[in-house]
Amino acid sequence: MRFIFKTDYNQDVKLAKHGGHVFWYSLLGLFLVAAPWVVAEYWLAQLTFVLIYAVVGLGLMLLAGFTGLFSLGHAAFLGVGAYTQAVMVNAGVPFPLALVCAGLFSAIVGVIVGLPALRVKGIYLGMATLAFGFIVEEGMARWESVTGGNAGLMVGYPAIGSWKLDSTEEFYFLCLLVTVGATLAIVNLLRSSTGRAFVAIRDSEISAQSMGIHLARYKTLSFALSAALAGIGGALYAHKIQFLSPEQFSIIQSIDLLLMVVIGGLGSIHGAFLGAIFLIVMPQLIALGKDFLPAAIGGAAGLQGTVYGLVLIAFVLFEPMGLYGRWLKVRTWFQLFPFYRRGLFKRQKSFQKSDRLK
């Protein structure tokens, strides 16, 4: 008797699981390519911001969603990349080289910040990253000879050789290309042994260590990669805004970035994009809703922060998996209809002794 084992190796390298993914992702790709000729210039600019924040969100998702290390100072990496790009481009360095240096320098800073993650975790790690954010913001304000201090720093248009990307459409395609490259890189990283090590650390550090995973090495690597993507996003952000000041990278920005990945859906690539869409669209909706609110409420200074807080509380209580988790439940409902069972999506609570040892 002879046994033949057949393995379909192609399944390991397919980015799309089935034909439906190919169809919908192709349709999305066609829309993104045709967007400059389909949507108005204002919405194209907003879509560009979505792509920039998606790059930053991918980095923070890798750190928080897949490695389980939360950062309350991620705007500092965004600022480091933005200022590095601005200083180098203003000094005459070619845009591609400046972009690479912005990512590398942010990664180096991420390694330095990642060192406390080797000894602290949870709220203490959040406090360490929060303190780092304050230090970087103050450094940007005080180092006037390089950053311009509170007076700000102007940033010109990006240029590749003699080609100057001075139009909204050209810069949009540049951001689209960088976003696609960053997404493919993260997807392939998560399918590798390194990505599996990140997830193992997130689920249980003791179990990961018992399997031979070097916690210090992979935590530091996660911080470095996350900071590098934030730095690249910051470089694009600098060219889009064309003016940098320290208050743009405050603790409020860090909270917005963390809010982006939590509402988008922790532990999912799609969540980074859904969170970026939320971060850009929500202020527009709040501005439109002010006309339908009483003057005392619509003119209140903290209206946007209040709305953000209420939305975050609602997601934590009713949909902890974020927007992507809600989409998965809606999709499953349609797949099972009319044979769905009531209470199928009801949250189940489970407590294990090992949870206290993570």
Side-chain angles (χ1 to χ4, degrees):
M1 182 180 294
R2 184 174 62 177
F3 295 92
I4 300 177
F5 296 92
K6 299 180 65 177
T7 304
D8 187 2
Y9 293 101
N10 291 329
Q11 290 183 352
D12 296 335
V13 296
K14 286 183 177 179
L15 293 176
K17 296 181 179 179
H18 49 75
H21 281 183
V22 175
F23 173 77
W24 288 110
Y25 286 137
S26 299
L27 191 63
L28 176 62
L30 289 175
F31 169 75
L32 292 176
V33 171
W37 298 279
V38 176
V39 300
E41 185 175 358
Y42 172 79
W43 292 110
L44 184 64
Q46 299 304 308
L47 185 57
T48 303
F49 276 115
V50 169
L51 295 176
I52 293 173
Y53 277 109
V55 174
V56 183
L58 287 171
L60 188 54
M61 186 67 74
L62 178 67
L63 182 68
F66 292 101
T67 315
L69 303 174
F70 285 88
S71 172
L72 291 176
H74 223 66
F77 302 123
L78 184 72
V80 169
Y83 273 103
T84 301
Q85 180 76 13
V87 171
M88 297 189 72
V89 168
N90 290 343
V93 178
F95 168 77
L97 180 59
L99 184 65
V100 172
C101 290
L104 288 178
F105 188 54
S106 298
I108 294 173
V109 177
V111 170
I112 297 174
V113 179
L115 294 178
L118 308 181
R119 294 184 177 272
V120 297
K121 53 186 174 181
I123 183 118
Y124 302 103
L125 177 60
M127 293 171 62
T129 55
L130 178 63
F132 168 75
F134 284 126
I135 293 172
V136 171
E137 182 183 0
E138 189 66 20
M140 293 174 183
R142 299 297 180 183
W143 200 1
E144 296 182 0
S145 60
V146 176
T147 65
N150 291 319
L153 181 66
M154 297 298 296
V155 188
Y157 291 104
I160 302 176
S162 59
W163 181 25
K164 191 174 184 180
L165 306 177
D166 55 355
S167 68
T168 305
E169 293 79 9
E170 292 173 336
F171 187 73
Y172 164 78
F173 281 117
L174 173 64
C175 293
L176 179 60
L177 181 63
V178 174
T179 304
V180 171
T183 304
L184 293 178
I186 291 296
V187 169
N188 282 280
L189 175 67
L190 293 175
R191 285 144 47 101
S192 66
S193 59
T194 302
R196 295 188 183 98
F198 289 156
V199 175
I201 293 174
R202 178 198 65 186
D203 293 342
S204 176
E205 291 188 7
I206 293 179
S207 299
Q209 196 170 19
S210 66
M211 291 186 293
I213 296 175
H214 198 290
L215 297 183
R217 180 187 306 161
Y218 283 102
K219 282 185 176 182
T220 307
L221 178 61
S222 179
F223 259 102
L225 294 175
S226 178
L229 286 175
I232 293 173
L236 298 175
Y237 179 84
H239 286 294
K240 182 60 180 175
I241 296 295
Q242 294 189 329
F243 178 79
L244 299 178
S245 60
E247 59 267 17
Q248 293 173 338
F249 310 102
S250 64
I251 179 60
I252 303 300
Q253 179 75 285
S254 295
I255 294 175
D256 285 344
L257 295 178
L258 188 58
L259 184 72
M260 174 178 67
V261 296
V262 171
I263 292 181
L266 282 173
S268 66
I269 299 296
H270 298 82
F273 289 89
L274 294 175
I277 294 173
F278 169 84
L279 199 63
I280 298 301
V281 172
M282 197 62 185
Q284 315 291 334
L285 297 178
I286 294 175
L288 292 175
K290 287 183 179 181
D291 298 334
F292 302 95
L293 296 174
I297 298 178
L303 178 61
Q304 181 170 326
T306 302
V307 173
Y308 275 26
L310 293 175
V311 171
L312 180 60
I313 292 173
F315 270 95
V316 170
L317 291 177
F318 303 108
E319 190 49 79
M321 294 179 64
L323 292 171
Y324 184 62
R326 175 53 53 182
W327 156 246
L328 290 179
K329 292 178 181 180
V330 171
R331 186 185 67 181
T332 305
W333 187 88
F334 278 106
Q335 289 176 344
L336 297 178
F337 183 83
F339 303 105
Y340 69 93
R341 179 170 59 87
R342 184 170 182 174
L344 179 65
F345 303 124
K346 189 176 182 180
R347 291 180 61 187
Q348 301 293 330
K349 294 183 179 180
S350 62
F351 301 93
Q352 300 177 0
K353 293 182 179 180
S354 61
D355 289 341
R356 299 195 295 267
L357 303 176
K358 288 185 177 181

